[in-house]
Amino acid sequence: MTSRRALITGITGQDGSYLAELLLEKGYDVHGMVRRSSNESFERIAHLRGRLELHQADLLDQASLVNLLRTVRPHELYNLAAQSFVPTSWLQPSLTGEFTALGVTRVLEAVRLADPEIRVYQASSSEMFGKVRESPQNEATPFYPRSPYGVAKVYGHWITVNYRESFGLFAVSGILFNHTSPRRGREFVTRKISEGVARIKLGLDDDIHFGNLDSRRDWGYAPEYVDAMWRMLQNSEPVDYVVGSGRYHTPRQFVELAFAHVGLDPADFVVERSREHLRPAEVDTLLADATKAREELGWVARTPFEEIVRVMVESDLEAQERLSGRRRGGKGTR
C-alpha cells in the first residue's frame, strides 16, 4: 500500500518540525517547503533531514506553489508558513499581509488548480480574537484582532472558509491558542524567559527586559497541538476547531516558575515594562473553549503549564552549557 504524502509549509518552524516527526511516525512520506531566499536555520529538522524531502517555493509566488503541488502530489497540505511574530507585524504590516493573508489565498488557489482533492490545513490563531467579545473563546466567538498579524490571520481564516464553500475543497482552519516548547523562536516571550533564565543562571547575562508581564494567555505544549492538526484532516467532513488548554497563565507566572527552577529570585534580574517591548494595542486575555475538539476529535491538552516551563528551562540550560562551557551551580553561579 502506498504511504500517504504530506506537504508542510513552514516545516523549519516549531510546529512544522513537530508535525514532521508526528507524520513520519505515522508512516507518511513527508515533504517540506522552504523559501529560495530563506536564511532560516534548519536546526529544528536537522535530525530528520534524511527522512524527508525539502522543496523550494514561496508564498509570494503563485506559480512556484502550483509547480510544487504538481511535483509532490500530496494527499495532505499543512500551511504553517507565515510571518508569525506579532511585534514584527507592526514594523512590517504590508509584508505580514502578503505572507500571512494573501499567502493563504495563493496556497488555496494552487490547490484548486493543481489538485482539488488535496486536504488543506490552515494555521489560524487565537490572536484573531484580540479584544475578546466573550470569554472563553470558541468557534462562534466574533473576531476582533489587535495587530496586523491578527488581521492577516482573520483574512487567512475566512478565505479558507470561502474556498471550502465556493469550490468544495477539504480546507479547514485550526484556531490554535498559544503553544510553546524548547523549539519556540527566541523572539517569543516564553523562549525569551527560558533562555534568559538559563543565561542568568550560568552568569552569562545580568537581567531580562520585558513589556507586559500580566497579559493572560492559554499556553499548551506544541507537540500535542500538531496532533490536533492531523486529526482535523482525518475527519469525514471539513470542520474548523478551537484548540487550547482551557487554562490561562501570565508571563509573570512563567518567569516565577522559571527562576524558581534554577533557585534564583526574579526580583533581582527582571526589568519590567521596557517601552520597546510593549505592544501598540494589547491583547489582555485569551482563553480557549476547546469543547468541540475534545468531543469530536478526542483531543485534549495534557501537559501542565509547570511541566512546560521546566522542560523549556532545562533544554535551554543544557544548550547554554554546551555553547558556553559553563556549568550550573547549586543556587546559581552568581
Side-chain angles (χ1 to χ4, degrees):
M1 178 176 150
T2 304
S3 63
R4 292 186 66 78
R5 287 184 304 282
L7 173 64
I8 305 171
T9 75
I11 195 169
T12 60
Q14 169 188 258
D15 290 5
S17 65
Y18 284 122
L19 179 60
E21 287 179 346
L22 176 70
L23 296 178
L24 287 168
E25 289 172 3
K26 293 182 179 296
Y28 278 66
D29 180 11
V30 178
H31 298 253
M33 187 190 91
V34 295
R35 295 176 60 204
R36 293 186 182 92
S37 59
S38 177
N39 58 2
E40 174 126 31
S41 168
F42 292 91
E43 64 179 324
R44 295 185 184 95
I45 58 170
H47 62 298
L48 303 175
R49 289 296 294 273
R51 301 174 59 196
L52 49 78
E53 188 172 349
L54 300 180
H55 307 264
Q56 291 185 339
D58 199 310
L59 292 182
L60 303 185
D61 182 1
Q62 180 78 67
S64 73
L65 296 172
V66 174
N67 291 336
L68 174 59
L69 294 182
R70 287 174 174 165
T71 298
V72 175
R73 300 195 64 80
H75 300 95
E76 298 172 6
L77 190 162
Y78 297 84
N79 184 38
L80 311 185
Q83 191 300 101
S84 59
F85 188 45
V86 173
T88 297
S89 75
W90 275 289
L91 298 175
Q92 297 180 306
S94 297
L95 186 64
T96 297
E98 285 288 347
F99 278 112
T100 308
L102 293 178
V104 182
T105 307
R106 297 185 187 102
V107 168
L108 293 166
E109 184 66 6
V111 169
R112 188 179 74 85
L113 294 172
D115 182 0
E117 296 303 311
I118 297 171
R119 294 192 169 202
V120 181
Y121 171 87
Q122 163 60 20
S124 287
S125 168
S126 59
E127 286 286 334
M128 300 189 304
F129 294 120
K131 189 175 182 179
V132 298
R133 305 296 187 89
E134 61 185 21
S135 193
Q137 298 88 53
N138 61 31
E139 293 80 3
T141 301
F143 299 138
Y144 194 148
R146 297 269 280 173
S147 67
Y149 169 77
V151 172
K153 278 294 185 182
V154 170
Y155 177 97
H157 180 87
W158 282 116
I159 199 66
T160 301
V161 172
N162 187 267
Y163 266 71
R164 179 170 73 218
E165 295 180 349
S166 300
F167 302 115
L169 298 187
F170 192 110
V172 302
S173 290
I175 307 175
L176 271 57
F177 279 63
N178 295 64
H179 49 287
T180 191
S181 75
R183 297 182 192 174
R184 194 60 161 144
R186 289 175 172 83
E187 68 272 23
F188 291 89
V189 66
T190 52
R191 185 71 192 286
K192 180 179 180 180
I193 294 168
S194 64
E195 187 175 68
V197 168
R199 289 182 61 81
I200 288 172
K201 175 67 175 178
L202 298 175
L204 298 170
D205 281 332
D206 295 321
D207 52 36
I208 319 178
H209 291 245
F210 294 104
N212 182 9
L213 282 176
D214 296 313
S215 59
R216 292 173 288 187
R217 293 291 185 272
D218 186 328
W219 270 303
Y221 192 42
E224 297 175 349
Y225 284 51
V226 299
D227 177 61
M229 301 176 188
W230 175 78
R231 290 178 186 235
M232 288 182 210
L233 291 194
Q234 313 316 306
N235 260 355
S236 58
E237 299 293 332
V239 179
D240 302 329
Y241 291 94
V242 160
V243 176
S245 73
R247 299 175 294 276
Y248 65 64
H249 298 86
T250 65
R252 187 179 306 281
Q253 290 173 295
F254 201 111
V255 166
E256 291 169 352
L257 288 169
F259 274 101
H261 182 71
V262 299
L264 295 174
D265 184 350
D268 296 331
F269 307 100
V270 171
V271 178
E272 290 189 44
R273 302 198 69 82
S274 178
R275 182 176 297 276
E276 65 267 27
H277 295 103
L278 291 173
R279 295 183 177 194
E282 184 57 77
V283 173
D284 296 317
T285 303
L286 294 174
L287 180 63
D289 175 3
T291 301
K292 186 176 176 182
R294 182 181 69 249
E295 293 179 350
E296 298 183 10
L297 298 177
W299 183 91
V300 293
R302 301 184 183 281
T303 304
F305 178 71
E306 295 78 8
E307 177 64 8
I308 297 171
V309 177
R310 186 196 68 78
V311 168
M312 291 183 65
V313 173
E314 278 299 314
S315 175
D316 275 318
L317 275 169
E318 292 170 6
Q320 292 299 318
E321 284 176 335
R322 287 194 303 271
L323 290 169
S324 69
R326 301 213 183 175
R327 294 293 177 266
R328 67 192 94 174
K331 292 294 285 183
T333 58
R334 301 180 58 80

